[in-house]
Amino acid sequence: MGMIKRFKDWSIRQKLFSTYVLLILLPLVIINFVSFTLFMSSFENRIVNSFKDLNQQIIANSDTFLKNILKISEKPYYDQQLVDILAKDYSTVEYEMFERSQDYRYVNDTFFKDLLMFNNDIDSLVIYPQTGSYVYRRGYEVIYNYNYSPAEETWFKRVVGSKGAPVVIGLHKEKQVSSPVKDVVSVGRVIVDSNSYRKLGVFIINLKSEALSTLYKGLKFSSDVEQVIVDENNTVLFSTNKSEIGQAFDTVLGRYNPKLSANLGEGGSIGDYYIVSDSSEISGWKFYSIIHKGKLFSEANQIRRLTWYTLIPLTVIAFFAAYILSRRISRPILDLSRKMRRVESGEFNVTFMLDSRDEIGQLGRAFNKMTREIKSLIGQIKEEEHKKRNAELNALQNQINPHFMYNTLTMIKWMSQAQRADNITEVLDALIRILTFSTRNTEEYVTIEEEVTFIRYYMQLLQLRYYHAFTFECRVSEEVLSYRTLKFIVQPFVENAVFHGFIEETRTYKLTLDVERVENAVLFIIRDDGVGMEKERLQELLHHAEECSEKMNSIGISNVFKRIQMHFGTAYGVDIESEWKSGTTVRIRVPLIADGQHVNGKGVEANESVDR
């Protein structure tokens, strides 16, 4: 983890301080964030919905206006004289010029005049007859362009291709009547003879460009929002910013944000703007509300700033409170920790002074009690050690020097040899070897070779004592001689076999000892053909051995059970099989322990492999 300490390695003050700060500051930040987010979301939804309603109202006004104009475009169908004029073939008329003049006067002074009189939003009216090169036209500016023909105009082709249905034409240049050319919005329709279904001409109603502006005078527009109407050619028909009328809508959007024109789609939130978009089913025009977030949400931003201004001092207060609380709680703990380190170094005249009744106070009182008890125990141990040293001195004073015993036994041996008492010499020689083995080596472990040698001499003494009432045979595998084992683990069992198994004097018994390697263990097998034991007696013996009963002597069977369990664990131990009148078999299982290998309370240490 590098130089950054893990949390569990922090001091108690650091943990408390960070926890308090987290528990105080985190809820403040979450509450502030969640509340402001919910407020802004609700506020934005209300704003967007309100402008959707405004767009719908604008569309309704626009559609009402256009429906009226579309109704006017149906007038030629109800004027039979106009239909007759458009269907007339002047080449068959006797006075063609006079007839044309009369018809032109009717169209301009009667039909057109009536339409212009009852609708002030109409800028000009034009009828392009299907036959002939002349055009019927009337407007407020009586300037005609005789050389202009709209046949190649895109909007005119749309009208001609509509098969008699009215067509709403977005902003375009009016070149037939007006001079100079100006922008108009038009409604066009093909005039068809209802009887013969023959196309008679095209009727165009040109509307003043400012006519749309008059429709929205009653609506309240915010200075932070721009309302824009875009025609089918993506040209701005109407805008609250009049300088944008007639421009391409993409150019208008580019002034706000270059990304808006590319990502507008059907509206939504883009950058610093909200775009609310709707369209008219009658005209196909699109109605946009472009909302500047920064201006529209200025009050919300003030609330956000006020929230942050409140959160900052609360954060400072939270840090200060966390520091004070963590200090008050951690200071007695740190004091107790320092006093415990003094006790650890051996200074026990330490007292923790705290009169509180909380857990720290209880811990301090327990600490004081512990130091008092430790001082008392140390005093007791010193006193006991003093008594123990005195007892050892007394024991040493009363102890007979082993060398004096060896020398005395050796002198007796020489005397028996001088008197030719061979049996006594043999017994003394075995006894001296046993005594030497028992006293010269104070270690817990001996080699298997040494243990077997000791058993051989011990059995030699027993055979002399019992006048060769039994035979003894020892078979040891050469590979196990150098391994080590606990001292005196075989002697109690061979002694038990001789003392308790060979009780009949009329026969000669046999006792064998086999030592061999079995996998990763050494197995001592002691067999005798003595009287054996009944099942109940064997169970009693095993029970006392497993419980380490004091009924058995310290170097007896119980002692062997106990020492093997303590040194090597439950995987090793002693197994006894016996039947009445059939002898007894004892198997002692210990681990393979090489010379120099360390052994702990549960066998060979894990980091030192057993000899394979």
Side-chain angles (χ1 to χ4, degrees), residues 376-394:
S376 176
L377 288 173
I378 289 175
Q380 293 177 11
I381 291 172
K382 287 181 178 179
E383 184 178 356
E384 290 175 358
E385 287 293 328
H386 179 70
K387 294 179 179 179
K388 183 178 179 181
R389 282 196 297 271
N390 290 336
E392 289 176 350
L393 289 174
N394 293 331

Side-chain angles (χ1 to χ4, degrees), residues 555-573:
I555 59 171
I557 297 175
S558 173
N559 181 269
V560 176
F561 270 87
K562 179 179 179 180
R563 288 194 297 148
I564 292 177
Q565 294 289 314
M566 287 177 59
H567 285 268
F568 308 130
T570 57
Y572 304 94

Side-chain angles (χ1 to χ4, degrees), residues 31-297:
I31 291 172
N32 174 68
F33 175 77
V34 172
S35 60
F36 185 78
T37 302
L38 293 176
F39 167 76
M40 287 297 295
S41 177
S42 176
F43 185 69
E44 291 174 5
N45 288 335
R46 289 200 302 269
I47 291 295
V48 171
N49 289 334
S50 66
F51 280 101
K52 284 184 178 180
D53 295 338
L54 180 61
N55 272 7
Q56 292 297 326
Q57 189 174 356
I58 295 174
I59 291 173
N61 291 352
S62 174
D63 288 349
T64 300
F65 172 75
L66 290 175
K67 285 179 182 178
N68 185 37
I69 302 301
L70 294 174
K71 194 68 177 178
I72 292 174
S73 70
E74 297 176 1
K75 283 290 185 179
Y77 289 99
Y78 304 110
D79 192 320
Q80 187 60 44
Q81 186 174 349
L82 176 63
V83 172
D84 293 340
I85 291 172
L86 295 176
K88 186 180 295 185
D89 184 4
Y90 288 99
S91 61
T92 61
V93 178
E94 184 176 357
Y95 301 101
E96 179 180 352
M97 292 301 296
F98 176 76
E99 192 80 20
R100 285 182 181 275
S101 176
Q102 290 292 107
D103 291 342
Y104 191 84
R105 185 178 296 112
Y106 173 78
V107 175
N108 278 351
D109 295 344
T110 303
F111 182 76
F112 283 166
K113 184 178 180 180
D114 290 343
L115 295 180
L116 289 171
M117 185 179 299
F118 292 105
N119 197 314
N120 295 327
D121 295 318
I122 298 176
D123 179 77
S124 59
L125 300 168
V126 182
I127 294 179
Y128 296 95
Q130 185 67 21
T131 58
S133 59
Y134 53 91
V135 178
Y136 299 104
R137 51 208 165 186
R138 186 182 178 94
Y140 291 99
E141 300 176 8
V142 189
I143 300 172
Y144 303 134
N145 185 354
Y146 293 98
N147 297 322
Y148 172 72
S149 173
E152 298 303 321
E153 299 282 357
T154 302
W155 60 268
F156 191 80
K157 292 179 180 179
R158 286 180 56 213
V159 175
V160 172
S162 66
K163 299 179 181 180
V167 177
V168 178
I169 306 167
L171 200 65
H172 65 99
K173 300 295 184 180
E174 204 295 300
K175 303 175 183 178
Q176 189 73 61
V177 180
S178 304
S179 181
V181 175
K182 61 182 178 181
D183 293 326
V184 294
V185 176
S186 305
V187 173
R189 182 193 288 271
V190 175
I191 303 173
V192 179
D193 187 345
S194 58
N195 295 321
S196 61
Y197 298 104
R198 183 166 62 94
K199 185 183 296 184
L200 302 179
V202 177
F203 181 33
I204 303 297
I205 303 174
N206 295 318
L207 304 173
K208 299 175 182 178
S209 59
E210 63 271 16
L212 293 176
S213 300
T214 60
L215 298 176
Y216 315 120
K217 286 182 179 180
L219 299 176
K220 295 181 179 180
F221 296 113
S222 172
S223 59
D224 303 325
V225 180
E226 182 171 348
Q227 300 293 147
V228 181
I229 303 176
V230 181
D231 66 8
E232 70 280 1
N233 297 319
N234 206 35
T235 302
V236 176
L237 292 174
F238 167 79
S239 175
T240 49
N241 183 359
K242 294 183 179 180
S243 63
E244 297 175 349
I245 296 176
Q247 299 183 22
F249 187 51
D250 288 343
T251 303
V252 173
L253 291 178
R255 286 203 294 269
Y256 293 99
N257 190 329
K259 296 181 180 180
L260 288 177
S261 58
N263 300 309
L264 182 59
E266 293 299 324
S269 177
I270 303 176
D272 296 330
Y273 298 89
Y274 279 111
I275 307 295
V276 180
S277 173
D278 289 289
S279 59
S280 171
E281 294 181 359
I282 294 177
S283 61
W285 296 344
K286 293 182 179 179
F287 297 76
Y288 294 99
S289 294
I290 304 175
I291 309 167
H292 193 290
K293 292 182 182 179
K295 294 180 180 180
L296 192 62
F297 299 146

Side-chain angles (χ1 to χ4, degrees), residues 372-433:
R372 289 194 300 269
E373 291 181 352
I374 289 176
K375 286 192 292 184
S376 176
L377 288 173
I378 289 175
Q380 293 177 11
I381 291 172
K382 287 181 178 179
E383 184 178 356
E384 290 175 358
E385 287 293 328
H386 179 70
K387 294 179 179 179
K388 183 178 179 181
R389 282 196 297 271
N390 290 336
E392 289 176 350
L393 289 174
N394 293 331
L396 289 174
Q397 292 174 357
N398 297 323
Q399 186 177 21
I400 299 176
N401 194 325
H403 294 286
F404 172 76
M405 295 179 64
Y406 301 152
N407 294 334
T408 302
L409 290 173
T410 302
M411 183 186 67
I412 297 172
K413 174 183 174 183
W414 291 341
M415 291 174 65
S416 64
Q417 288 177 344
Q419 298 179 10
R420 298 185 179 277
D422 295 336
N423 289 341
I424 297 175
T425 301
E426 191 176 347
V427 169
L428 288 174
D429 189 47
L431 182 60
I432 289 171
R433 292 179 183 275

